[in-house]
Amino acid sequence: MNGPKGRITGKYRRPALVLQRGSRGLPIRRTVLVVGEGRETEPNYFDGLKREDAVAARFTVTVKKGPGISPEKIVEEAVKYKLQAAARSEDFDEVWCVMDTEGPEKRGSLARALRMARDNDIKVCLSNPAFEVWLLSHFERSAGFCLDCGAVIVKLNKRWRKNFSLDYDKADDRLYHRIEGVPKN
């Protein structure tokens, strides 16, 4: 049932910690929706991750391409998918929005998006400044500062070329599989 501001209320909520199903003791897979900011990078990464045996055994992950316009639009998209699922008498155990903090022009939109996410029981994963910082963390531990996505990609490309003999490409559909086993230096 829809509550205030289109928020989904308790009727469609699954119990948060149901660990076993029926008498056979089979584990229940939690359903997770991930809406990323990007149209390629985040979906490519999370599509690869959800296919990992350890993840697939415990979770049913739905990955949606984000509108890439603003943090508010990303959360609005997640709310839309959540409401559509509820209309089909389905529900996600968790809904996540993955978005960048890059650029001072996003501050107001980001604050509004965080409020909207909180009001709709949506979790937020912020990439500072951009999602590529998560990719870089597969190669190195870094507390350094990068002004924008371009600066992160410069650092990432050094590692990418060393490990894969090619430049990093946001549209790489093998993104996750390339970096899953890379040892940190």
mmCIF file of all heavy atoms in Angstrom, residues 19-49:
data_model
loop_
_atom_site.group_PDB
_atom_site.id
_atom_site.type_symbol
_atom_site.label_atom_id
_atom_site.label_comp_id
_atom_site.label_asym_id
_atom_site.label_seq_id
_atom_site.Cartn_x
_atom_site.Cartn_y
_atom_site.Cartn_z
ATOM 1 N N LEU A 19 15.629 -16.508 7.847
ATOM 2 C CA LEU A 19 16.833 -17.230 7.490
ATOM 3 C C LEU A 19 16.579 -18.566 6.814
ATOM 4 O O LEU A 19 17.426 -19.051 6.091
ATOM 5 C CB LEU A 19 17.703 -17.441 8.735
ATOM 6 C CG LEU A 19 18.175 -16.156 9.398
ATOM 7 C CD1 LEU A 19 18.963 -16.494 10.651
ATOM 8 C CD2 LEU A 19 19.002 -15.320 8.450
ATOM 9 N N GLN A 20 15.426 -19.181 7.054
ATOM 10 C CA GLN A 20 15.183 -20.485 6.447
ATOM 11 C C GLN A 20 13.764 -20.565 5.926
ATOM 12 O O GLN A 20 12.870 -19.884 6.402
ATOM 13 C CB GLN A 20 15.434 -21.600 7.461
ATOM 14 C CG GLN A 20 16.891 -21.665 7.867
ATOM 15 C CD GLN A 20 17.176 -22.922 8.651
ATOM 16 O OE1 GLN A 20 16.280 -23.636 9.043
ATOM 17 N NE2 GLN A 20 18.441 -23.184 8.860
ATOM 18 N N ARG A 21 13.595 -21.448 4.940
ATOM 19 C CA ARG A 21 12.301 -21.579 4.303
ATOM 20 C C ARG A 21 11.790 -23.004 4.529
ATOM 21 O O ARG A 21 12.520 -23.963 4.310
ATOM 22 C CB ARG A 21 12.480 -21.294 2.817
ATOM 23 C CG ARG A 21 11.348 -21.718 1.974
ATOM 24 C CD ARG A 21 11.549 -21.474 0.502
ATOM 25 N NE ARG A 21 12.928 -21.494 0.102
ATOM 26 C CZ ARG A 21 13.405 -20.814 -0.930
ATOM 27 N NH1 ARG A 21 12.609 -20.065 -1.624
ATOM 28 N NH2 ARG A 21 14.661 -20.898 -1.259
ATOM 29 N N GLY A 22 10.558 -23.099 4.938
ATOM 30 C CA GLY A 22 9.894 -24.395 5.057
ATOM 31 C C GLY A 22 10.667 -25.423 5.869
ATOM 32 O O GLY A 22 11.601 -25.129 6.580
ATOM 33 N N SER A 23 10.269 -26.655 5.729
ATOM 34 C CA SER A 23 10.880 -27.718 6.520
ATOM 35 C C SER A 23 12.187 -28.218 5.921
ATOM 36 O O SER A 23 12.929 -28.930 6.564
ATOM 37 C CB SER A 23 9.893 -28.886 6.643
ATOM 38 O OG SER A 23 9.591 -29.394 5.362
ATOM 39 N N ARG A 24 12.459 -27.865 4.677
ATOM 40 C CA ARG A 24 13.684 -28.346 4.050
ATOM 41 C C ARG A 24 14.905 -27.540 4.483
ATOM 42 O O ARG A 24 16.019 -27.921 4.190
ATOM 43 C CB ARG A 24 13.533 -28.298 2.526
ATOM 44 C CG ARG A 24 12.465 -29.288 2.068
ATOM 45 C CD ARG A 24 12.171 -29.249 0.598
ATOM 46 N NE ARG A 24 13.342 -29.132 -0.224
ATOM 47 C CZ ARG A 24 13.327 -28.635 -1.440
ATOM 48 N NH1 ARG A 24 12.194 -28.201 -1.953
ATOM 49 N NH2 ARG A 24 14.422 -28.560 -2.159
ATOM 50 N N GLY A 25 14.704 -26.415 5.145
ATOM 51 C CA GLY A 25 15.820 -25.626 5.646
ATOM 52 C C GLY A 25 16.627 -24.937 4.562
ATOM 53 O O GLY A 25 17.797 -24.632 4.759
ATOM 54 N N LEU A 26 16.016 -24.691 3.414
ATOM 55 C CA LEU A 26 16.734 -24.009 2.348
ATOM 56 C C LEU A 26 16.841 -22.519 2.674
ATOM 57 O O LEU A 26 15.878 -21.912 3.137
ATOM 58 C CB LEU A 26 16.007 -24.195 1.013
ATOM 59 C CG LEU A 26 15.876 -25.632 0.524
ATOM 60 C CD1 LEU A 26 15.004 -25.671 -0.719
ATOM 61 C CD2 LEU A 26 17.241 -26.224 0.247
ATOM 62 N N PRO A 27 17.984 -21.930 2.434
ATOM 63 C CA PRO A 27 18.126 -20.504 2.746
ATOM 64 C C PRO A 27 17.290 -19.652 1.789
ATOM 65 O O PRO A 27 17.122 -19.990 0.622
ATOM 66 C CB PRO A 27 19.613 -20.239 2.533
ATOM 67 C CG PRO A 27 20.085 -21.327 1.646
ATOM 68 C CD PRO A 27 19.203 -22.510 1.911
ATOM 69 N N ILE A 28 16.766 -18.577 2.311
ATOM 70 C CA ILE A 28 16.009 -17.636 1.497
ATOM 71 C C ILE A 28 16.981 -16.611 0.949
ATOM 72 O O ILE A 28 17.832 -16.098 1.662
ATOM 73 C CB ILE A 28 14.919 -16.940 2.326
ATOM 74 C CG1 ILE A 28 13.812 -17.935 2.625
ATOM 75 C CG2 ILE A 28 14.375 -15.726 1.600
ATOM 76 C CD1 ILE A 28 12.629 -17.354 3.334
ATOM 77 N N ARG A 29 16.851 -16.337 -0.329
ATOM 78 C CA ARG A 29 17.694 -15.327 -0.944
ATOM 79 C C ARG A 29 17.016 -13.977 -0.796
ATOM 80 O O ARG A 29 15.853 -13.817 -1.145
ATOM 81 C CB ARG A 29 17.930 -15.668 -2.412
ATOM 82 C CG ARG A 29 18.748 -16.913 -2.528
ATOM 83 C CD ARG A 29 19.095 -17.342 -3.899
ATOM 84 N NE ARG A 29 18.583 -16.548 -4.987
ATOM 85 C CZ ARG A 29 18.599 -16.928 -6.244
ATOM 86 N NH1 ARG A 29 19.102 -18.093 -6.558
ATOM 87 N NH2 ARG A 29 18.123 -16.165 -7.185
ATOM 88 N N ARG A 30 17.760 -13.028 -0.279
ATOM 89 C CA ARG A 30 17.245 -11.668 -0.129
ATOM 90 C C ARG A 30 17.187 -11.002 -1.494
ATOM 91 O O ARG A 30 18.055 -11.205 -2.321
ATOM 92 C CB ARG A 30 18.124 -10.862 0.821
ATOM 93 C CG ARG A 30 18.026 -11.417 2.256
ATOM 94 C CD ARG A 30 18.844 -10.642 3.259
ATOM 95 N NE ARG A 30 18.547 -9.244 3.360
ATOM 96 C CZ ARG A 30 17.495 -8.715 3.989
ATOM 97 N NH1 ARG A 30 16.626 -9.497 4.576
ATOM 98 N NH2 ARG A 30 17.319 -7.408 4.034
ATOM 99 N N THR A 31 16.148 -10.224 -1.718
ATOM 100 C CA THR A 31 16.006 -9.520 -2.978
ATOM 101 C C THR A 31 16.519 -8.092 -2.825
ATOM 102 O O THR A 31 16.157 -7.395 -1.873
ATOM 103 C CB THR A 31 14.548 -9.496 -3.449
ATOM 104 O OG1 THR A 31 13.747 -8.900 -2.429
ATOM 105 C CG2 THR A 31 14.044 -10.911 -3.735
ATOM 106 N N VAL A 32 17.366 -7.698 -3.748
ATOM 107 C CA VAL A 32 18.008 -6.388 -3.682
ATOM 108 C C VAL A 32 17.870 -5.695 -5.030
ATOM 109 O O VAL A 32 18.108 -6.300 -6.075
ATOM 110 C CB VAL A 32 19.508 -6.530 -3.332
ATOM 111 C CG1 VAL A 32 20.194 -5.170 -3.282
ATOM 112 C CG2 VAL A 32 19.693 -7.270 -2.009
ATOM 113 N N LEU A 33 17.505 -4.432 -4.992
ATOM 114 C CA LEU A 33 17.479 -3.589 -6.176
ATOM 115 C C LEU A 33 18.618 -2.590 -6.069
ATOM 116 O O LEU A 33 18.779 -1.947 -5.021
ATOM 117 C CB LEU A 33 16.145 -2.832 -6.291
ATOM 118 C CG LEU A 33 16.069 -1.730 -7.352
ATOM 119 C CD1 LEU A 33 16.186 -2.320 -8.765
ATOM 120 C CD2 LEU A 33 14.787 -0.923 -7.204
ATOM 121 N N VAL A 34 19.407 -2.464 -7.129
ATOM 122 C CA VAL A 34 20.490 -1.477 -7.186
ATOM 123 C C VAL A 34 20.222 -0.562 -8.375
ATOM 124 O O VAL A 34 20.104 -1.031 -9.510
ATOM 125 C CB VAL A 34 21.872 -2.147 -7.355
ATOM 126 C CG1 VAL A 34 22.962 -1.091 -7.481
ATOM 127 C CG2 VAL A 34 22.159 -3.100 -6.208
ATOM 128 N N VAL A 35 20.101 0.732 -8.101
ATOM 129 C CA VAL A 35 19.958 1.729 -9.159
ATOM 130 C C VAL A 35 21.191 2.605 -9.092
ATOM 131 O O VAL A 35 21.435 3.275 -8.088
ATOM 132 C CB VAL A 35 18.681 2.582 -8.991
ATOM 133 C CG1 VAL A 35 18.569 3.611 -10.116
ATOM 134 C CG2 VAL A 35 17.445 1.705 -8.932
ATOM 135 N N GLY A 36 21.988 2.568 -10.130
ATOM 136 C CA GLY A 36 23.214 3.356 -10.176
ATOM 137 C C GLY A 36 23.019 4.630 -10.960
ATOM 138 O O GLY A 36 22.084 4.766 -11.745
ATOM 139 N N GLU A 37 23.940 5.545 -10.756
ATOM 140 C CA GLU A 37 23.866 6.815 -11.469
ATOM 141 C C GLU A 37 24.157 6.636 -12.953
ATOM 142 O O GLU A 37 23.498 7.214 -13.797
ATOM 143 C CB GLU A 37 24.872 7.800 -10.866
ATOM 144 C CG GLU A 37 24.856 9.152 -11.527
ATOM 145 C CD GLU A 37 25.620 10.198 -10.753
ATOM 146 O OE1 GLU A 37 25.889 10.004 -9.558
ATOM 147 O OE2 GLU A 37 25.943 11.227 -11.360
ATOM 148 N N GLY A 38 25.154 5.822 -13.244
ATOM 149 C CA GLY A 38 25.604 5.691 -14.620
ATOM 150 C C GLY A 38 24.757 4.739 -15.449
ATOM 151 O O GLY A 38 24.053 3.879 -14.924
ATOM 152 N N ARG A 39 24.870 4.873 -16.744
ATOM 153 C CA ARG A 39 24.138 4.010 -17.664
ATOM 154 C C ARG A 39 24.951 2.780 -18.030
ATOM 155 O O ARG A 39 24.418 1.830 -18.581
ATOM 156 C CB ARG A 39 23.759 4.787 -18.924
ATOM 157 C CG ARG A 39 22.946 6.014 -18.560
ATOM 158 C CD ARG A 39 21.709 6.302 -19.325
ATOM 159 N NE ARG A 39 21.041 5.276 -20.045
ATOM 160 C CZ ARG A 39 19.947 4.644 -19.621
ATOM 161 N NH1 ARG A 39 19.447 4.903 -18.440
ATOM 162 N NH2 ARG A 39 19.354 3.761 -20.384
ATOM 163 N N GLU A 40 26.284 2.799 -17.728
ATOM 164 C CA GLU A 40 27.119 1.660 -18.105
ATOM 165 C C GLU A 40 27.982 1.145 -16.957
ATOM 166 O O GLU A 40 27.939 -0.037 -16.641
ATOM 167 C CB GLU A 40 28.023 2.046 -19.287
ATOM 168 C CG GLU A 40 27.229 2.369 -20.537
ATOM 169 C CD GLU A 40 28.096 2.872 -21.666
ATOM 170 O OE1 GLU A 40 28.901 3.793 -21.450
ATOM 171 O OE2 GLU A 40 27.964 2.317 -22.762
ATOM 172 N N THR A 41 28.786 1.997 -16.364
ATOM 173 C CA THR A 41 29.789 1.546 -15.405
ATOM 174 C C THR A 41 29.177 0.786 -14.233
ATOM 175 O O THR A 41 29.545 -0.358 -13.966
ATOM 176 C CB THR A 41 30.619 2.736 -14.876
ATOM 177 O OG1 THR A 41 31.083 3.499 -15.981
ATOM 178 C CG2 THR A 41 31.793 2.251 -14.056
ATOM 179 N N GLU A 42 28.257 1.414 -13.506
ATOM 180 C CA GLU A 42 27.662 0.766 -12.344
ATOM 181 C C GLU A 42 26.883 -0.492 -12.722
ATOM 182 O O GLU A 42 27.069 -1.544 -12.097
ATOM 183 C CB GLU A 42 26.770 1.743 -11.558
ATOM 184 C CG GLU A 42 27.534 2.844 -10.866
ATOM 185 C CD GLU A 42 27.705 4.104 -11.715
ATOM 186 O OE1 GLU A 42 27.671 4.004 -12.965
ATOM 187 O OE2 GLU A 42 27.877 5.184 -11.126
ATOM 188 N N PRO A 43 26.026 -0.438 -13.756
ATOM 189 C CA PRO A 43 25.329 -1.679 -14.131
ATOM 190 C C PRO A 43 26.295 -2.793 -14.536
ATOM 191 O O PRO A 43 26.088 -3.955 -14.166
ATOM 192 C CB PRO A 43 24.442 -1.257 -15.311
ATOM 193 C CG PRO A 43 24.232 0.200 -15.122
ATOM 194 C CD PRO A 43 25.498 0.717 -14.510
ATOM 195 N N ASN A 44 27.336 -2.469 -15.276
ATOM 196 C CA ASN A 44 28.305 -3.496 -15.678
ATOM 197 C C ASN A 44 28.986 -4.116 -14.461
ATOM 198 O O ASN A 44 29.169 -5.330 -14.389
ATOM 199 C CB ASN A 44 29.354 -2.917 -16.628
ATOM 200 C CG ASN A 44 28.792 -2.641 -18.004
ATOM 201 O OD1 ASN A 44 27.751 -3.156 -18.380
ATOM 202 N ND2 ASN A 44 29.476 -1.808 -18.759
ATOM 203 N N TYR A 45 29.358 -3.290 -13.499
ATOM 204 C CA TYR A 45 30.022 -3.783 -12.299
ATOM 205 C C TYR A 45 29.074 -4.675 -11.489
ATOM 206 O O TYR A 45 29.407 -5.809 -11.148
ATOM 207 C CB TYR A 45 30.526 -2.623 -11.442
ATOM 208 C CG TYR A 45 31.241 -3.080 -10.203
ATOM 209 C CD1 TYR A 45 32.591 -3.387 -10.236
ATOM 210 C CD2 TYR A 45 30.560 -3.243 -8.999
ATOM 211 C CE1 TYR A 45 33.262 -3.826 -9.101
ATOM 212 C CE2 TYR A 45 31.212 -3.683 -7.871
ATOM 213 C CZ TYR A 45 32.570 -3.967 -7.915
ATOM 214 O OH TYR A 45 33.209 -4.419 -6.793
ATOM 215 N N PHE A 46 27.888 -4.168 -11.188
ATOM 216 C CA PHE A 46 26.961 -4.920 -10.338
ATOM 217 C C PHE A 46 26.375 -6.145 -11.036
ATOM 218 O O PHE A 46 26.062 -7.140 -10.381
ATOM 219 C CB PHE A 46 25.871 -4.003 -9.775
ATOM 220 C CG PHE A 46 26.389 -3.059 -8.734
ATOM 221 C CD1 PHE A 46 26.481 -1.702 -8.987
ATOM 222 C CD2 PHE A 46 26.826 -3.526 -7.509
ATOM 223 C CE1 PHE A 46 26.981 -0.829 -8.031
ATOM 224 C CE2 PHE A 46 27.333 -2.671 -6.545
ATOM 225 C CZ PHE A 46 27.411 -1.312 -6.810
ATOM 226 N N ASP A 47 26.235 -6.097 -12.356
ATOM 227 C CA ASP A 47 25.799 -7.303 -13.082
ATOM 228 C C ASP A 47 26.835 -8.412 -12.940
ATOM 229 O O ASP A 47 26.482 -9.586 -12.793
ATOM 230 C CB ASP A 47 25.559 -6.997 -14.565
ATOM 231 C CG ASP A 47 24.167 -6.438 -14.827
ATOM 232 O OD1 ASP A 47 23.252 -6.703 -14.037
ATOM 233 O OD2 ASP A 47 24.015 -5.736 -15.843
ATOM 234 N N GLY A 48 28.109 -8.054 -12.980
ATOM 235 C CA GLY A 48 29.162 -9.052 -12.768
ATOM 236 C C GLY A 48 29.172 -9.567 -11.345
ATOM 237 O O GLY A 48 29.278 -10.777 -11.098
ATOM 238 N N LEU A 49 29.049 -8.665 -10.381
ATOM 239 C CA LEU A 49 29.066 -9.042 -8.971
ATOM 240 C C LEU A 49 27.917 -9.986 -8.629
ATOM 241 O O LEU A 49 28.104 -10.979 -7.923
ATOM 242 C CB LEU A 49 28.989 -7.789 -8.091
ATOM 243 C CG LEU A 49 28.900 -8.016 -6.587
ATOM 244 C CD1 LEU A 49 30.159 -8.695 -6.062
ATOM 245 C CD2 LEU A 49 28.664 -6.692 -5.867
#
